[in-house]
Amino acid sequence: MSQKIRFYAKLAKVWQLSLYLVFIPLVFTSCSKQVPPPEPCGPTPTERQLAWHQMEQYAFIHFTTNTFTDLEWGYGDESTSVFNPTALDANQWAKTIKEAGLKGIILTCKHHDGFCLWPSEYTEHDIANSPYKDGNGNVVEEVYEACKKYDLKFGIYLSPWDRNHAKYGTPEYVEYYRNQLKELFSKYGPVFEMWFDGANGGDGYYGGANEKRKIDGSTYYDWPTTLRMVREMEPEVIFFSDAGPDIRWCGNERGSMGETNWNTITPDTLYAGKSGITKLLNRGSEDGTAWIPAEVDVSIRPGWFYHADEDDQVRTPENLFKIYLESVGRGANLLLNIPPDRRGLIHENDVTSLKEWKQMIDDAFKTNLALNAGVDASSVRGKSKDYSGPNVTDANPETYWATNDEELTGHLVINLEGAKSVNYVVLQEYIKLGQRVKTFDVEALVDGNWEIVKTATTIGYKRIIPVGGIQTDKIKISITESKACPVISNVEVY
Ligand code: FUL
């Protein structure tokens, strides 16, 4: 064969091959009918909100001069010399918190009394003027480093209300507050959450004025400018305030989210801290215009700060477990306050309670009886495998069961392979497509009959339904009302 012929033969082969490469996939995609996923329903979470949902629970640390003066709200006239922890060990805090299964720490870098736990360039009312480490200490840094060591996320609480500062109530104070945020955010990061306290204005020391100062919470701080400034320094930070913008308060400090919990709410009350909205915050609103999920903040002791006379009032593991079910189990995140004592350590009673609580959670959610279980769905979106029932038991949060758009009800039957004693059913919606379910029943097959064990409302990121040790070999989840076709990503049975 001449060289020319060989060359043309080769060219033809390459041509043939490229035809295959281009056309075969085309033929395949047009044959396997793709059923489009459901459209999102209402507001949906941002990437950073999704990451926050996955944290589920983390710790609050309240620590300042109050710890040494036995107060909850320092007046602002406390001498910096009172702050003198004798054995402070931030690693003990982080270790205790990590072992309790919590995922981060939010530290009160400054509470309402104005004392700063780091040496601030902008005030003398700080740790640099305390006896702690002869004025060379920095609790913010110690906690930040301990978080890194124990793989915990770090968060900042910086009280907007400052009862020490002479200029509180004037624009100069807002500048001071922003300077402190710059100080903190330029030194410490990443910061997963920034906590803006709703308590604002009242009586205080105010540089010796000893008077009452009122501010208009909705305008004084000019929050949009402050938040923009912080966001520029820390793009992934989640902002907490009573009403958002990223996450909202749950409306009480008892550790209890509403049984109905919509992640959506209309933020017309943003920053204002108006009264009368606590019920709304506790439940959210079905037709809310923004995704602003709730955080449940609660203390392990009666106070937010340590008081020796509350050593025997530390919440029991059982009580903490109830709180877990009523916060994380109702689709909110839990922010559990654990205040260090005057030594600068988490007290032994708190450590014991936390350990036993963690054990209770581990025991209760040890063996998922539904993992890879067979699932029969009442119907499947476009009869496609992509949306079939077993997607809820495959432990993959990215797969889900969905129905056709017009079907707003439907059920899943989870086959447990033999009679089992069931205590909890865990449900999750695929919230990337919004929150949808309005009402549902959990049923159990008992002696051949379906029994409704619980009629409930919302699901959201996570819902844990206690079912009290029922004996059954099949669990049915019946969606009885939904804003759009149900999209369930996960069902676990314990
Ligand atoms: C409230 C504050 O007034 C309390 O002292 C505490 O910090 C709590 C978490 O928030 O608004």
Side-chain angles (χ1 to χ4, degrees):
M1 226 190 301
S2 79
Q3 251 190 355
K4 221 176 187 176
I5 294 175
R6 238 178 281 149
F7 171 74
Y8 282 120
K10 222 179 195 172
L11 200 67
K13 256 192 197 148
V14 169
W15 173 238
Q16 206 177 6
L17 194 69
S18 42
L19 278 181
Y20 284 142
L21 284 176
V22 173
F23 285 110
I24 291 175
L26 269 182
V27 170
F28 257 97
T29 30
S30 58
C31 283
S32 68
K33 209 168 57 195
Q34 289 271 325
V35 179
E39 289 288 320
C41 164
T44 52
T46 60
E47 280 299 319
R48 59 172 179 270
Q49 284 173 322
L50 275 173
W52 172 86
H53 276 289
Q54 281 155 14
M55 285 182 74
E56 297 192 2
Q57 44 178 10
Y58 35 88
F60 221 169
I61 293 267
H62 275 67
F63 192 59
T64 183
T65 52
N66 292 345
T67 313
F68 303 88
T69 53
D70 236 347
L71 293 174
E72 276 292 303
W73 280 9
Y75 190 69
D77 62 347
E78 295 74 25
S79 164
T80 51
S81 65
V82 301
F83 186 83
N84 194 16
T86 48
L88 191 141
D89 182 3
N91 285 326
Q92 187 252 5
W93 307 1
K95 184 170 182 282
T96 304
I97 285 162
K98 180 80 183 183
E99 287 174 0
L102 302 166
K103 305 280 167 47
I105 295 179
I106 299 179
L107 173 69
T108 56
C109 301
K110 175 185 87 165
H111 201 250
H112 309 329
D113 55 273
F115 180 80
C116 300
L117 289 183
W118 80 103
S120 171
E121 251 184 67
Y122 301 97
T123 183
E124 293 298 305
H125 198 58
D126 65 359
I127 199 164
N129 289 305
S130 80
Y132 178 60
K133 293 192 174 169
D134 293 325
N136 295 312
N138 180 345
V139 174
V140 177
E141 186 142 316
E142 287 184 50
V143 173
Y144 174 71
E145 290 300 332
C147 281
K148 279 206 273 190
K149 184 166 170 193
Y150 285 89
D151 192 23
L152 292 166
K153 292 192 178 179
F154 177 70
I156 289 177
Y157 169 114
L158 190 73
S159 171
W161 182 25
D162 189 321
R163 303 173 95 189
N164 172 263
H165 204 277
K167 301 287 181 195
Y168 183 78
T170 71
E172 278 162 275
Y173 171 76
V174 178
E175 201 187 315
Y176 167 79
Y177 184 71
R178 287 185 183 149
N179 280 334
Q180 293 203 316
L181 285 171
K182 279 186 208 150
E183 231 177 0
L184 290 170
F185 277 86
S186 57
K187 269 187 104 174
Y188 309 108
V191 175
F192 83 97
E193 184 170 325
M194 171 80 217
W195 223 84
F196 293 105
D197 198 298
N200 278 312
D203 60 346
Y205 173 68
Y206 303 125
N210 294 307
E211 60 188 14
K212 201 167 183 158
R213 291 191 182 166
K214 260 182 95 176
I215 53 113
D216 179 351
S218 57
T219 56
Y220 175 56
Y221 298 105
D222 177 16
W223 285 119
T225 305
T226 304
L227 300 195
R228 220 176 301 125
M229 184 195 90
V230 176
R231 180 82 77 209
E232 259 165 38
M233 294 185 283
E234 186 59 274
E236 295 312 315
V237 70
I238 284 282
F239 291 125
F240 166 94
S241 87
D242 281 2
D246 291 318
I247 54 170
R248 69 178 201 261
W249 186 39
C250 72
N252 66 62
E253 293 176 344
R254 293 187 306 276
S256 184
M257 194 62 220
E259 274 215 55
T260 297
N261 174 18
W262 290 100
N263 288 292
T264 47
I265 200 160
T266 302
D268 59 348
T269 50
L270 209 60
Y271 313 125
K274 285 183 199 151
S275 60
I277 57 162
T278 49
K279 251 191 195 161
L280 181 65
L281 289 169
N282 196 239
R283 296 173 193 170
S285 33
E286 184 189 322
D287 53 2
T289 56
W291 188 275
I292 307 181
E295 180 183 80
V296 170
D297 62 321
V298 62
S299 187
I300 194 168
R301 289 164 169 257
W304 290 99
F305 287 91
Y306 175 84
H307 307 289
D309 62 3
E310 291 177 355
D311 281 349
D312 57 355
Q313 293 177 62
V314 174
R315 287 183 188 275
T316 59
E318 292 74 19
N319 185 260
L320 289 174
F321 188 71
K322 180 173 178 281
I323 287 176
Y324 173 78
L325 293 179
E326 293 184 8
S327 54
V328 175
R330 292 180 180 171
N333 274 8
L334 171 61
L335 173 58
L336 180 63
N337 182 59
I338 308 160
D341 62 18
R342 287 188 184 177
R343 294 171 299 176
L345 295 173
I346 295 176
H347 190 272
E348 291 73 1
N349 294 1
D350 306 48
V351 173
T352 307
S353 196
L354 287 167
K355 267 198 186 136
E356 288 174 22
W357 171 56
K358 171 70 163 58
Q359 195 57 54
M360 281 183 81
I361 295 182
D362 288 351
D363 291 348
F365 301 99
K366 196 167 162 191
T367 312
N368 174 12
L369 303 170
L371 185 63
N372 297 319
V375 179
D376 301 313
S378 53
S379 69
V380 170
R381 185 176 186 80
K383 297 195 167 65
S384 163
K385 231 179 152 224
D386 293 348
Y387 311 107
S388 68
N391 286 345
V392 303
T393 54
D394 65 359
N396 179 352
E398 286 307 316
T399 59
Y400 51 82
W401 166 66
T403 60
N404 289 324
D405 285 344
E406 65 284 2
E407 292 172 64
L408 305 186
T409 60
H411 66 249
L412 293 169
V413 174
I414 319 288
N415 299 298
L416 300 179
E417 310 280 332
K420 302 276 159 53
S421 166
V422 175
N423 287 310
Y424 301 98
V425 175
V426 179
L427 303 166
Q428 292 188 282
E429 280 184 271
Y430 187 72
I431 56 171
K432 281 186 188 172
L433 294 177
Q435 189 176 357
R436 298 156 172 260
V437 174
K438 289 166 68 160
T439 52
F440 66 98
D441 292 330
V442 176
E443 298 173 58
L445 194 67
V446 180
D447 300 328
N449 297 313
W450 285 110
E451 271 182 23
I452 295 183
V453 196
K454 171 88 181 170
T455 294
T457 50
T458 50
I459 298 176
Y461 171 73
K462 185 177 261 190
R463 186 74 196 263
I464 305 176
I465 303 287
V467 294
I470 197 159
Q471 286 284 126
T472 182
D473 61 349
K474 283 184 205 293
I475 292 282
K476 192 199 275 185
I477 312 298
S478 297
I479 311 296
T480 47
E481 229 185 320
S482 186
K483 284 173 73 177
C485 68
V487 178
I488 306 294
S489 68
N490 190 33
V491 177
E492 293 166 20
V493 175
Y494 295 94

mmCIF file of all heavy atoms in Angstrom, residues 451-481:
data_model
loop_
_atom_site.group_PDB
_atom_site.id
_atom_site.type_symbol
_atom_site.label_atom_id
_atom_site.label_comp_id
_atom_site.label_asym_id
_atom_site.label_seq_id
_atom_site.Cartn_x
_atom_site.Cartn_y
_atom_site.Cartn_z
ATOM 1 N N GLU A 451 -51.650 1.614 62.404
ATOM 2 C CA GLU A 451 -52.023 2.491 63.526
ATOM 3 C C GLU A 451 -51.297 3.813 63.376
ATOM 4 O O GLU A 451 -50.084 3.833 63.163
ATOM 5 C CB GLU A 451 -51.551 1.865 64.848
ATOM 6 C CG GLU A 451 -52.546 0.941 65.458
ATOM 7 C CD GLU A 451 -52.045 0.373 66.788
ATOM 8 O OE1 GLU A 451 -51.174 0.990 67.432
ATOM 9 O OE2 GLU A 451 -52.544 -0.700 67.156
ATOM 10 N N ILE A 452 -52.038 4.921 63.516
ATOM 11 C CA ILE A 452 -51.362 6.225 63.459
ATOM 12 C C ILE A 452 -50.671 6.463 64.807
ATOM 13 O O ILE A 452 -51.315 6.458 65.856
ATOM 14 C CB ILE A 452 -52.354 7.372 63.158
ATOM 15 C CG1 ILE A 452 -52.936 7.169 61.755
ATOM 16 C CG2 ILE A 452 -51.671 8.731 63.272
ATOM 17 C CD1 ILE A 452 -53.875 8.265 61.290
ATOM 18 N N VAL A 453 -49.355 6.611 64.777
ATOM 19 C CA VAL A 453 -48.607 6.807 66.018
ATOM 20 C C VAL A 453 -48.465 8.290 66.320
ATOM 21 O O VAL A 453 -48.404 8.715 67.467
ATOM 22 C CB VAL A 453 -47.195 6.172 65.912
ATOM 23 C CG1 VAL A 453 -46.570 6.015 67.284
ATOM 24 C CG2 VAL A 453 -47.235 4.851 65.192
ATOM 25 N N LYS A 454 -48.371 9.082 65.255
ATOM 26 C CA LYS A 454 -48.204 10.519 65.465
ATOM 27 C C LYS A 454 -48.699 11.266 64.235
ATOM 28 O O LYS A 454 -48.384 10.907 63.102
ATOM 29 C CB LYS A 454 -46.711 10.823 65.710
ATOM 30 C CG LYS A 454 -46.359 12.291 65.722
ATOM 31 C CD LYS A 454 -46.494 12.923 67.096
ATOM 32 C CE LYS A 454 -46.149 14.411 67.052
ATOM 33 N NZ LYS A 454 -46.464 15.123 68.269
ATOM 34 N N THR A 455 -49.500 12.301 64.493
ATOM 35 C CA THR A 455 -49.875 13.221 63.425
ATOM 36 C C THR A 455 -49.076 14.488 63.683
ATOM 37 O O THR A 455 -49.109 15.024 64.791
ATOM 38 C CB THR A 455 -51.392 13.515 63.468
ATOM 39 O OG1 THR A 455 -52.065 12.291 63.162
ATOM 40 C CG2 THR A 455 -51.800 14.564 62.455
ATOM 41 N N ALA A 456 -48.335 14.924 62.697
ATOM 42 C CA ALA A 456 -47.442 16.061 62.919
ATOM 43 C C ALA A 456 -47.537 17.048 61.761
ATOM 44 O O ALA A 456 -48.213 16.780 60.757
ATOM 45 C CB ALA A 456 -46.009 15.569 63.082
ATOM 46 N N THR A 457 -46.838 18.167 61.923
ATOM 47 C CA THR A 457 -46.915 19.201 60.882
ATOM 48 C C THR A 457 -45.636 19.228 60.042
ATOM 49 O O THR A 457 -45.456 18.387 59.190
ATOM 50 C CB THR A 457 -47.248 20.569 61.515
ATOM 51 O OG1 THR A 457 -46.355 20.794 62.599
ATOM 52 C CG2 THR A 457 -48.684 20.603 62.007
ATOM 53 N N THR A 458 -44.732 20.164 60.327
ATOM 54 C CA THR A 458 -43.611 20.371 59.411
ATOM 55 C C THR A 458 -42.463 19.366 59.591
ATOM 56 O O THR A 458 -42.322 18.739 60.646
ATOM 57 C CB THR A 458 -43.055 21.787 59.607
ATOM 58 O OG1 THR A 458 -42.830 21.986 61.001
ATOM 59 C CG2 THR A 458 -44.032 22.831 59.105
ATOM 60 N N ILE A 459 -41.615 19.282 58.565
ATOM 61 C CA ILE A 459 -40.408 18.443 58.626
ATOM 62 C C ILE A 459 -39.164 19.329 58.509
ATOM 63 O O ILE A 459 -38.416 19.476 59.449
ATOM 64 C CB ILE A 459 -40.416 17.356 57.521
ATOM 65 C CG1 ILE A 459 -41.604 16.413 57.692
ATOM 66 C CG2 ILE A 459 -39.098 16.569 57.538
ATOM 67 C CD1 ILE A 459 -41.750 15.372 56.602
ATOM 68 N N GLY A 460 -38.933 19.916 57.329
ATOM 69 C CA GLY A 460 -37.768 20.790 57.151
ATOM 70 C C GLY A 460 -36.464 20.026 57.108
ATOM 71 O O GLY A 460 -36.416 18.887 56.636
ATOM 72 N N TYR A 461 -35.401 20.643 57.641
ATOM 73 C CA TYR A 461 -34.082 19.997 57.578
ATOM 74 C C TYR A 461 -34.100 18.651 58.304
ATOM 75 O O TYR A 461 -33.548 17.673 57.831
ATOM 76 C CB TYR A 461 -33.001 20.913 58.177
ATOM 77 C CG TYR A 461 -31.689 20.181 58.331
ATOM 78 C CD1 TYR A 461 -30.920 19.878 57.210
ATOM 79 C CD2 TYR A 461 -31.250 19.746 59.580
ATOM 80 C CE1 TYR A 461 -29.742 19.155 57.332
ATOM 81 C CE2 TYR A 461 -30.065 19.026 59.709
ATOM 82 C CZ TYR A 461 -29.323 18.741 58.585
ATOM 83 O OH TYR A 461 -28.157 18.018 58.711
ATOM 84 N N LYS A 462 -34.738 18.628 59.496
ATOM 85 C CA LYS A 462 -34.787 17.365 60.237
ATOM 86 C C LYS A 462 -35.985 17.355 61.179
ATOM 87 O O LYS A 462 -36.313 18.370 61.793
ATOM 88 C CB LYS A 462 -33.500 17.160 61.043
ATOM 89 C CG LYS A 462 -33.425 15.814 61.738
ATOM 90 C CD LYS A 462 -32.110 15.622 62.464
ATOM 91 C CE LYS A 462 -31.164 14.783 61.635
ATOM 92 N NZ LYS A 462 -29.969 14.361 62.381
ATOM 93 N N ARG A 463 -36.629 16.221 61.282
ATOM 94 C CA ARG A 463 -37.695 16.073 62.269
ATOM 95 C C ARG A 463 -37.512 14.723 62.948
ATOM 96 O O ARG A 463 -37.351 13.701 62.259
ATOM 97 C CB ARG A 463 -39.069 16.121 61.556
ATOM 98 C CG ARG A 463 -40.259 16.123 62.503
ATOM 99 C CD ARG A 463 -40.437 17.465 63.193
ATOM 100 N NE ARG A 463 -41.311 17.355 64.353
ATOM 101 C CZ ARG A 463 -42.611 17.641 64.355
ATOM 102 N NH1 ARG A 463 -43.192 18.066 63.259
ATOM 103 N NH2 ARG A 463 -43.313 17.512 65.459
ATOM 104 N N ILE A 464 -37.486 14.730 64.268
ATOM 105 C CA ILE A 464 -37.390 13.462 65.003
ATOM 106 C C ILE A 464 -38.721 13.237 65.710
ATOM 107 O O ILE A 464 -39.149 14.068 66.512
ATOM 108 C CB ILE A 464 -36.241 13.478 66.037
ATOM 109 C CG1 ILE A 464 -34.901 13.832 65.366
ATOM 110 C CG2 ILE A 464 -36.139 12.124 66.746
ATOM 111 C CD1 ILE A 464 -33.727 13.968 66.342
ATOM 112 N N ILE A 465 -39.355 12.117 65.396
ATOM 113 C CA ILE A 465 -40.645 11.801 66.006
ATOM 114 C C ILE A 465 -40.450 10.652 66.997
ATOM 115 O O ILE A 465 -40.134 9.523 66.596
ATOM 116 C CB ILE A 465 -41.675 11.361 64.918
ATOM 117 C CG1 ILE A 465 -41.831 12.447 63.835
ATOM 118 C CG2 ILE A 465 -43.006 11.003 65.548
ATOM 119 C CD1 ILE A 465 -42.590 13.672 64.258
ATOM 120 N N PRO A 466 -40.627 10.916 68.299
ATOM 121 C CA PRO A 466 -40.571 9.814 69.271
ATOM 122 C C PRO A 466 -41.840 8.964 69.150
ATOM 123 O O PRO A 466 -42.941 9.516 69.090
ATOM 124 C CB PRO A 466 -40.537 10.541 70.633
ATOM 125 C CG PRO A 466 -40.277 11.986 70.320
ATOM 126 C CD PRO A 466 -40.824 12.220 68.945
ATOM 127 N N VAL A 467 -41.690 7.642 69.065
ATOM 128 C CA VAL A 467 -42.875 6.796 68.901
ATOM 129 C C VAL A 467 -43.011 5.766 70.027
ATOM 130 O O VAL A 467 -43.850 4.855 69.955
ATOM 131 C CB VAL A 467 -42.920 6.120 67.503
ATOM 132 C CG1 VAL A 467 -43.086 7.171 66.420
ATOM 133 C CG2 VAL A 467 -41.681 5.285 67.229
ATOM 134 N N GLY A 468 -42.154 5.901 71.029
ATOM 135 C CA GLY A 468 -42.370 5.159 72.286
ATOM 136 C C GLY A 468 -42.248 3.655 72.247
ATOM 137 O O GLY A 468 -43.070 2.942 72.829
ATOM 138 N N GLY A 469 -41.265 3.125 71.568
ATOM 139 C CA GLY A 469 -40.969 1.685 71.644
ATOM 140 C C GLY A 469 -42.028 0.787 71.049
ATOM 141 O O GLY A 469 -42.268 -0.325 71.530
ATOM 142 N N ILE A 470 -42.665 1.223 69.983
ATOM 143 C CA ILE A 470 -43.722 0.417 69.371
ATOM 144 C C ILE A 470 -43.130 -0.799 68.642
ATOM 145 O O ILE A 470 -42.063 -0.714 68.043
ATOM 146 C CB ILE A 470 -44.569 1.307 68.421
ATOM 147 C CG1 ILE A 470 -45.887 0.640 68.100
ATOM 148 C CG2 ILE A 470 -43.817 1.693 67.163
ATOM 149 C CD1 ILE A 470 -46.942 1.609 67.626
ATOM 150 N N GLN A 471 -43.842 -1.951 68.733
ATOM 151 C CA GLN A 471 -43.385 -3.180 68.066
ATOM 152 C C GLN A 471 -43.989 -3.232 66.680
ATOM 153 O O GLN A 471 -45.209 -3.270 66.537
ATOM 154 C CB GLN A 471 -43.858 -4.410 68.856
ATOM 155 C CG GLN A 471 -43.119 -4.667 70.141
ATOM 156 C CD GLN A 471 -41.740 -5.264 69.858
ATOM 157 O OE1 GLN A 471 -40.741 -4.736 70.316
ATOM 158 N NE2 GLN A 471 -41.684 -6.344 69.075
ATOM 159 N N THR A 472 -43.167 -3.268 65.662
ATOM 160 C CA THR A 472 -43.720 -3.258 64.296
ATOM 161 C C THR A 472 -42.682 -3.744 63.294
ATOM 162 O O THR A 472 -41.480 -3.714 63.577
ATOM 163 C CB THR A 472 -44.177 -1.831 63.903
ATOM 164 O OG1 THR A 472 -44.751 -1.872 62.603
ATOM 165 C CG2 THR A 472 -43.028 -0.837 63.913
ATOM 166 N N ASP A 473 -43.162 -4.178 62.120
ATOM 167 C CA ASP A 473 -42.189 -4.525 61.073
ATOM 168 C C ASP A 473 -42.308 -3.605 59.863
ATOM 169 O O ASP A 473 -41.558 -3.733 58.910
ATOM 170 C CB ASP A 473 -42.291 -5.995 60.660
ATOM 171 C CG ASP A 473 -43.646 -6.345 60.092
ATOM 172 O OD1 ASP A 473 -44.570 -5.505 60.212
ATOM 173 O OD2 ASP A 473 -43.781 -7.442 59.525
ATOM 174 N N LYS A 474 -43.267 -2.666 59.935
ATOM 175 C CA LYS A 474 -43.392 -1.686 58.840
ATOM 176 C C LYS A 474 -43.788 -0.330 59.391
ATOM 177 O O LYS A 474 -44.665 -0.229 60.242
ATOM 178 C CB LYS A 474 -44.479 -2.137 57.841
ATOM 179 C CG LYS A 474 -44.057 -3.238 56.901
ATOM 180 C CD LYS A 474 -45.188 -3.504 55.912
ATOM 181 C CE LYS A 474 -45.163 -4.906 55.336
ATOM 182 N NZ LYS A 474 -44.050 -5.218 54.482
ATOM 183 N N ILE A 475 -43.113 0.691 58.888
ATOM 184 C CA ILE A 475 -43.445 2.074 59.254
ATOM 185 C C ILE A 475 -43.935 2.783 57.997
ATOM 186 O O ILE A 475 -43.327 2.646 56.928
ATOM 187 C CB ILE A 475 -42.192 2.801 59.809
ATOM 188 C CG1 ILE A 475 -41.757 2.220 61.159
ATOM 189 C CG2 ILE A 475 -42.405 4.313 59.908
ATOM 190 C CD1 ILE A 475 -42.585 2.656 62.358
ATOM 191 N N LYS A 476 -45.030 3.508 58.160
ATOM 192 C CA LYS A 476 -45.548 4.251 56.999
ATOM 193 C C LYS A 476 -45.478 5.750 57.288
ATOM 194 O O LYS A 476 -45.873 6.199 58.374
ATOM 195 C CB LYS A 476 -46.997 3.851 56.734
ATOM 196 C CG LYS A 476 -47.513 4.360 55.381
ATOM 197 C CD LYS A 476 -49.030 4.370 55.319
ATOM 198 C CE LYS A 476 -49.592 3.021 54.923
ATOM 199 N NZ LYS A 476 -51.075 3.101 54.742
ATOM 200 N N ILE A 477 -44.955 6.492 56.328
ATOM 201 C CA ILE A 477 -44.954 7.951 56.426
ATOM 202 C C ILE A 477 -45.969 8.440 55.405
ATOM 203 O O ILE A 477 -45.759 8.286 54.189
ATOM 204 C CB ILE A 477 -43.562 8.549 56.064
ATOM 205 C CG1 ILE A 477 -42.416 7.816 56.784
ATOM 206 C CG2 ILE A 477 -43.526 10.055 56.330
ATOM 207 C CD1 ILE A 477 -42.450 7.894 58.286
ATOM 208 N N SER A 478 -47.061 9.000 55.886
ATOM 209 C CA SER A 478 -48.098 9.492 54.962
ATOM 210 C C SER A 478 -48.076 11.010 54.936
ATOM 211 O O SER A 478 -48.336 11.648 55.952
ATOM 212 C CB SER A 478 -49.491 9.053 55.423
ATOM 213 O OG SER A 478 -49.569 7.655 55.400
ATOM 214 N N ILE A 479 -47.768 11.554 53.791
ATOM 215 C CA ILE A 479 -47.803 13.015 53.650
ATOM 216 C C ILE A 479 -49.254 13.374 53.323
ATOM 217 O O ILE A 479 -49.792 12.963 52.286
ATOM 218 C CB ILE A 479 -46.871 13.499 52.506
ATOM 219 C CG1 ILE A 479 -45.466 12.875 52.628
ATOM 220 C CG2 ILE A 479 -46.836 15.023 52.450
ATOM 221 C CD1 ILE A 479 -44.675 13.255 53.845
ATOM 222 N N THR A 480 -49.882 14.108 54.226
ATOM 223 C CA THR A 480 -51.312 14.365 54.059
ATOM 224 C C THR A 480 -51.597 15.758 53.494
ATOM 225 O O THR A 480 -52.690 16.038 53.042
ATOM 226 C CB THR A 480 -52.036 14.182 55.409
ATOM 227 O OG1 THR A 480 -51.296 14.880 56.417
ATOM 228 C CG2 THR A 480 -52.123 12.716 55.789
ATOM 229 N N GLU A 481 -50.623 16.647 53.581
ATOM 230 C CA GLU A 481 -50.778 17.985 53.012
ATOM 231 C C GLU A 481 -49.391 18.547 52.726
ATOM 232 O O GLU A 481 -48.497 18.447 53.577
ATOM 233 C CB GLU A 481 -51.458 18.901 54.036
ATOM 234 C CG GLU A 481 -52.620 19.696 53.480
ATOM 235 C CD GLU A 481 -53.153 20.666 54.539
ATOM 236 O OE1 GLU A 481 -53.229 20.263 55.721
ATOM 237 O OE2 GLU A 481 -53.436 21.805 54.184
#
